Amino acid sequence: MKTRRKFIKDCGMIAGGAGFTYLSSGYPEIQNFKRSGEGIKLRFRPYELNLQHVFTLASSSRSTTPAMLTEIEYENVIGYGEASMPPYLGESIETVNSFLKLVDLSQFDNPFLMEDILTYVDHLAPGNYAAKASVDIALHDLVGKLMNQPWYRILGLNPEHTPNTSFTIGIDKPDVVREKVKEAKPYKILKVKLGQGNDREMIQSVRNGTDKPICVDVNQGWTDRNMALDTINWLKEQGVIFVEQPMSKKAVDDISWLTQNSPLPIIADEAVQVTADIMKVHGIYSGINIKLMKCGGMRAAYTMIRLARALDMKVMIGCMTETSCAVTAAAQLSPLVDWADLDGNLLISNDVYEGIKIVDGKIILPDLPGIGIRKS
Ligand code: MG
């Protein structure tokens, strides 16, 4: 009792009379919370995502994606996270495993100090963005659950403002493309992969099945800017609304010229990974595609959205092939963006979570705390 009286007296001295009532009722509880002494626990296990279709991009083809599922536990509450490692980003089960072994969260006993915890994680090693995202997402999920609020609400975002999500159609033969167009019936925008020499055939195959708006992703596949502009002019007539990464991220002059002359917005994907890259692509591209696995998680993605908006750039939020965990985490930020490409969970056959739903093509955020998922 004596200690408590002294504590209240100290608080009163620091905070002054006006703060006394608040501090005497609220602050000791937070002190107890901080002093639980249990620390924060991180667990992780590898998981192979099976793709429903062999996935063909301008540069590669594959039927599985390696992933790492993470859990962060504090006082019997568990937050879920995930790293997904498509091979072209350079991370693997081995690199994510090595990175996560470096992460010692037991030194922290207050999960609400997200800035301290995530700065510590960020500084453990350069790169490793998918590994970092797996910690960032799990910590967001944990903290949201401890607050009993979903992240869109913590960030003050309107869940009615989620965009329609696109559904991705990989490069394939016309009959396969037509089947995928049928599969994409619930979606209002289609994202069509181009860049392997059969661009017009791909678009015509899609157009034979639907007149929905299309966005295209060339994945750096075009090499000649005049050919690229001709194709973009033709794509506009076909009802295409924007073009993602038309040429190599290194072809800065060509892309700058293309953006100036293109009737459609040109969006950077491979050319922009983290916040600092936005300054490099500003003035070169019309907008950016943000992905949690590229930038290190929700905190970095939120910063990127804010910076791009301040620079008057278009913003798209996308994903890799992922479970509903990372996809739903990204969807929490989607009320802030122009376009969403959050279909990664629908491209796999062995999801382990339930999260966002797509109703009439629009993202519906779950009414669940944290990032909004439950185990399925
Ligand atoms: Mg892309």
Side-chain angles (χ1 to χ4, degrees):
M1 198 58 206
K2 193 175 173 187
T3 312
R4 180 171 163 78
R5 263 204 305 274
K6 181 177 182 308
F7 173 71
I8 290 170
K9 187 176 163 222
D10 289 348
C11 289
M13 283 171 69
I14 296 162
F20 183 84
T21 310
Y22 168 74
L23 286 171
S24 66
S25 62
Y27 197 59
E29 266 183 47
I30 295 171
Q31 286 290 303
N32 289 340
F33 191 77
K34 282 175 74 172
R35 286 176 187 160
S36 73
E38 283 196 2
I40 301 172
K41 297 177 202 130
L42 171 68
R43 295 185 289 270
F44 49 95
R45 67 181 172 100
Y47 188 72
E48 189 165 72
L49 306 174
N50 296 321
L51 309 189
Q52 301 205 20
H53 297 281
V54 174
F55 196 61
T56 303
L57 306 177
S59 56
S60 62
S61 244
R62 65 180 199 276
S63 59
T64 61
T65 303
M68 188 77 85
L69 302 180
T70 55
E71 294 183 3
I72 296 181
E73 182 174 345
Y74 182 81
E75 298 205 323
N76 301 319
V77 179
I78 298 173
Y80 299 111
E82 173 184 17
S84 165
M85 292 84 78
Y88 60 91
L89 282 181
E91 286 179 79
S92 63
I93 292 291
E94 291 70 30
T95 64
V96 173
N97 189 56
S98 304
F99 181 84
L100 293 178
K101 277 185 176 165
L102 295 176
V103 179
D104 175 17
L105 297 186
S106 69
Q107 64 187 293
F108 298 100
D109 61 3
N110 181 352
F112 289 102
L113 299 180
M114 298 178 78
E115 193 66 25
D116 291 6
I117 297 169
L118 294 175
T119 301
Y120 153 77
V121 171
D122 199 31
H123 289 173
L124 282 171
N128 291 283
Y129 292 106
K132 288 171 182 174
S134 75
V135 178
D136 169 286
I137 294 167
L139 185 62
H140 277 80
D141 194 34
L142 172 72
V143 168
K145 284 171 173 166
L146 291 168
M147 295 170 82
N148 200 29
Q149 297 293 340
W151 269 94
Y152 71 80
R153 192 172 296 143
I154 295 168
L155 295 171
L157 309 181
N158 186 340
E160 304 283 310
H161 292 175
T162 55
N164 291 326
T165 186
S166 52
F167 183 86
T168 301
I169 296 180
I171 297 167
D172 227 314
K173 297 188 185 75
D175 53 329
V176 180
V177 170
R178 271 196 295 278
E179 276 310 303
K180 288 185 190 169
V181 170
K182 282 185 199 156
E183 201 182 310
K185 201 162 184 243
Y187 300 87
K188 293 194 167 160
I189 302 177
L190 302 179
K191 173 162 166 174
V192 180
K193 296 284 190 178
L194 299 182
Q196 278 210 335
N198 61 341
D199 298 339
R200 294 188 188 217
E201 178 189 88
M202 279 291 298
I203 297 295
Q204 274 156 353
S205 303
V206 174
R207 276 289 167 255
N208 286 340
T210 178
D211 56 2
K212 287 174 189 173
I214 298 173
C215 51
V216 302
D217 187 355
V218 189
N219 290 108
Q220 314 185 80
W222 295 339
T223 51
D224 180 290
R225 70 184 191 180
N226 292 304
M227 181 286 281
L229 185 59
D230 282 350
T231 307
I232 292 172
N233 282 321
W234 180 81
L235 290 171
K236 182 167 167 42
E237 292 168 15
Q238 303 301 312
V240 170
I241 55 173
F242 68 81
V243 178
E244 197 178 315
Q245 202 66 54
M247 301 177 73
S248 165
K249 62 181 179 180
K250 293 179 186 149
V252 176
D253 290 343
D254 288 334
I255 290 180
S256 178
W257 176 86
L258 205 50
T259 300
Q260 281 168 32
N261 291 286
S262 167
L264 299 176
I266 306 293
I267 307 299
D269 183 5
E270 285 85 344
V272 62
Q273 178 157 8
V274 296
T275 311
D277 295 331
I278 297 176
M279 300 315 292
K280 296 180 204 158
V281 300
H282 178 234
I284 310 286
Y285 294 79
S286 328
I288 59 169
N289 185 355
I290 296 169
K291 296 174 184 170
L292 301 191
M293 296 303 141
K294 285 198 299 185
C295 70
M298 293 173 71
R299 185 177 70 143
Y302 184 77
T303 306
M304 291 178 80
I305 294 169
R306 291 299 193 200
L307 177 57
R309 283 291 185 227
L311 295 169
D312 202 22
M313 296 180 82
K314 295 280 187 194
V315 181
M316 167 180 186
I317 194 156
C319 60
M320 307 298 175
T321 40
E322 300 165 352
T323 72
S324 289
C325 176
V327 168
T328 307
Q332 295 287 331
L333 306 174
S334 71
L336 289 168
V337 308
D338 299 295
W339 303 296
D341 180 28
L342 294 176
D343 63 350
N345 56 325
L346 304 166
L347 303 174
I348 64 170
S349 58
N350 57 343
D351 203 347
V352 277
Y353 302 101
E354 276 176 44
I356 56 164
K357 295 277 179 284
I358 308 299
V359 178
D360 287 336
K362 184 177 160 71
I363 293 169
I364 305 296
L365 291 166
D367 189 18
L368 290 171
I371 60 169
I373 58 166
R374 58 163 67 107
K375 281 197 166 174
S376 57

